[in-house]
Amino acid sequence: LSCDVGAAYCQCGSMGCILQLRQGFRWLLDRTLTTATCLRSSFSNSAVATDDGSLLDFDNGKEVFASRTDAEIARAVLVLQLCSIDAFVDHSLQLMTLGQRLLPKTLFDYFMKRTFYGQLIPGGDHEEVILLAQQLAVAGIRCMPAPSLEDELEEESKETNELASDFEASLDANAQEVMNCIELAEKLGSKNDQQNSKAAFKLTAIFRPKLLKLLSSGLVSGGSIPITSPQTLHEQMQETAQNSGVLDEYYNGMRRLESVMETLHSRQVSGFVDAEYTYMQPAIRSLVLLMQSKYNKQHPVVFNTQQAYLKTAEEDNKVNLAIADKTGFLYGTKVVRGAYMDKERSLSKSYSYPDPIYAKYEDTSACYNRILDVLLRQAAVSQGRVMAATHNEESVKFGVKRMNELCIERQSGHAVFAQQLGMCDHVTFALGRGGYLVYKYSPYGDIDSTIRYLCRRAQENRTALKGVRREKQILYDEWKRRRKTKQTQ
């Protein structure tokens, strides 16, 4: 496709090629929409009772998507359809990278903005995020911004050719962007409800992945970090860094992390530290616990992220809660299914260690609900906080049901929901209309900086196939209803 489009561009010029590409999009979209088949009978009833006896209905596309334009609905169906094609998802990173090399930037950007980037990213700057937040607010949805600062251990070929001072400078710049994101989150919140302003970020933005892996190797005992004080974990990481000759680098990372935490505290914004690959997660968890022990005294400021697809997830959650109880700080966490499945399994095969992820989607879902139940019960009797970040309807229903049973008020902030921007919109919009605190996780950045994120989202959509089919069907039904209405006018 890239070669064909590139050749067409050379023959007809940018404007003619864009017209041809637009016609191709229309053909693909029309084929996607008109060949969709009704799948509703294969799904359970989507309504769930709320605390006031009303029903929260995820099926009512007319109400749920009232604020969405026809073009936005059509684009959503197109992107979800592409995510169901295994060959496309498996090679999505290579295809996007190839497109970057072969296509003129104008043409590549045109394609991305009308598909994945336009669906999943609000834009490249703060003004576009603010505009998105205003649009979401109409539907009772809040925005949780996150700077798109992706990094991996496999990128070390770039690190080795970069001077240490230059790399530290880039991490300092990343830390500043995280602090800018926190200030953005403060602007998005209301002055009377500042504790519900939230921002997310990754520790690989301010620590080298190689360092986090090294620190993790000195922490793990029997597959998990032990129940001990966060200060002890800090001392263990210091010792590992000193023995490896990277103590100054560790201190630089801690300096950046403290600056970020102080910004969260002073701006009264909740900071969600994203989970990452298992080879660096023990260090990430320990650093978060250390920051929670310092900043989560009055109310949760710093939030951990728990990945339910890991076989160790429930034990990890118990350890975190035990450390919080022993140390005396308020525990806040975001529960996710996990977004690195393909890469984690590939790494386990390459390095011949057991697959850390549950083999079945149903096992992950059951683990997710068990962890969520523990955290909801904790939030109901303390000042703890939990964010149920899930695209699984059944887990959302479970969360709503347990909130009702535990008398957790919808707007209390003790339990909130979240979904990725551009994904699972039928659930997000229904929760917003139902008066629940619900957020759209909204990573922002230019097209080049968000490609890895977009590929991971495509993979996550593919692995959650049943939910994607259902969302696509609801979107298709609403598109069909609107088209029928226009034809009868």
Side-chain angles (χ1 to χ4, degrees), residues 268-298:
Q268 293 187 306
V269 173
S270 300
F272 289 73
V273 180
D274 287 335
E276 303 191 54
Y277 294 107
T278 51
Y279 59 69
M280 63 179 82
Q281 196 56 33
I284 292 173
R285 281 179 61 202
S286 299
L287 290 167
V288 172
L289 288 166
L290 180 64
M291 294 299 104
Q292 288 180 321
S293 69
K294 181 176 181 179
Y295 291 95
N296 287 16
K297 295 296 187 180
Q298 302 301 321

Side-chain angles (χ1 to χ4, degrees), residues 7-306:
Y9 180 92
C10 294
Q11 292 172 6
C12 64
S14 59
M15 183 57 67
C17 189
I18 287 177
L19 290 174
Q20 288 188 14
L21 192 58
R22 183 180 298 166
Q23 290 174 353
F25 283 151
R26 287 174 177 169
W27 174 83
L28 180 58
L29 178 61
D30 185 63
R31 183 175 179 181
T32 298
L33 293 169
T34 56
T35 58
T37 56
C38 186
L39 303 169
R40 191 175 306 283
S41 60
S42 65
F43 299 109
S44 60
N45 189 333
S46 66
V48 58
T50 63
D51 52 6
D52 62 3
S54 61
L55 290 179
L56 194 65
D57 189 3
F58 301 134
D59 267 346
N60 193 332
K62 181 178 180 180
E63 290 187 1
V64 169
F65 298 120
S67 62
R68 305 298 294 274
T69 66
D70 292 355
E72 288 172 334
I73 289 177
R75 181 183 63 195
V77 177
L78 174 61
V79 169
L80 291 175
Q81 179 67 18
L82 289 171
C83 289
S84 68
I85 303 172
D86 284 342
F88 176 83
V89 175
D90 290 338
H91 301 95
S92 56
L93 182 58
Q94 296 94 317
L95 286 170
M96 290 185 189
T97 304
L98 181 64
Q100 278 183 304
R101 290 204 309 264
L102 295 181
L103 298 179
K105 181 171 176 54
T106 302
L107 191 57
F108 180 74
D109 288 356
Y110 178 89
F111 170 78
M112 294 299 293
K113 287 178 180 178
R114 280 152 184 77
T115 53
F116 290 93
Y117 183 85
Q119 178 70 11
L120 302 170
I121 304 293
D125 57 38
H126 289 190
E127 287 71 22
E128 290 174 296
V129 178
I130 291 172
L131 178 60
L132 168 73
Q134 292 170 346
Q135 294 169 344
L136 292 175
V138 175
I141 302 166
R142 304 185 182 214
C143 180
M144 182 166 70
S148 182
L149 300 169
E150 299 268 332
D151 209 346
E152 297 184 33
L153 191 64
E154 285 67 25
E155 296 295 304
E156 288 188 21
S157 58
K158 295 190 298 185
E159 294 181 22
T160 55
N161 295 324
E162 190 171 7
L163 293 174
S165 58
D166 292 338
F167 198 76
E168 286 295 324
S170 68
L171 293 175
D172 286 343
N174 286 349
Q176 184 58 57
E177 180 52 45
V178 172
M179 290 185 279
N180 292 342
C181 176
I182 294 167
E183 293 174 2
L184 170 62
E186 180 191 25
K187 292 178 183 177
L188 300 181
S190 85
K191 293 182 179 180
N192 298 324
D193 192 25
Q194 204 60 43
Q195 286 188 23
N196 283 319
S197 297
K198 306 187 188 304
F201 58 93
K202 290 178 169 58
L203 285 196
T204 48
I206 55 181
F207 287 88
R208 268 197 315 150
K210 185 176 181 180
L211 176 61
L212 292 173
K213 181 183 180 183
L214 173 67
L215 298 175
S216 294
S217 66
L219 287 167
V220 175
S221 174
S224 181
I225 63 173
I227 298 177
T228 186
S229 72
Q231 183 60 34
T232 299
L233 295 174
H234 172 51
E235 291 169 359
Q236 290 175 346
M237 289 187 286
Q238 276 184 309
E239 182 179 357
T240 300
Q242 184 172 19
N243 292 340
S244 303
V246 291
L247 188 59
D248 286 346
E249 183 181 355
Y250 176 68
Y251 285 152
N252 284 335
M254 290 302 298
R255 169 181 54 80
R256 287 186 288 266
L257 182 58
E258 285 283 3
S259 296
V260 169
M261 294 298 121
E262 286 294 338
T263 305
L264 285 170
H265 179 70
S266 64
R267 299 287 180 171
Q268 293 187 306
V269 173
S270 300
F272 289 73
V273 180
D274 287 335
E276 303 191 54
Y277 294 107
T278 51
Y279 59 69
M280 63 179 82
Q281 196 56 33
I284 292 173
R285 281 179 61 202
S286 299
L287 290 167
V288 172
L289 288 166
L290 180 64
M291 294 299 104
Q292 288 180 321
S293 69
K294 181 176 181 179
Y295 291 95
N296 287 16
K297 295 296 187 180
Q298 302 301 321
H299 61 85
V301 173
V302 188
F303 283 70
N304 177 47
T305 297
Q306 188 66 59

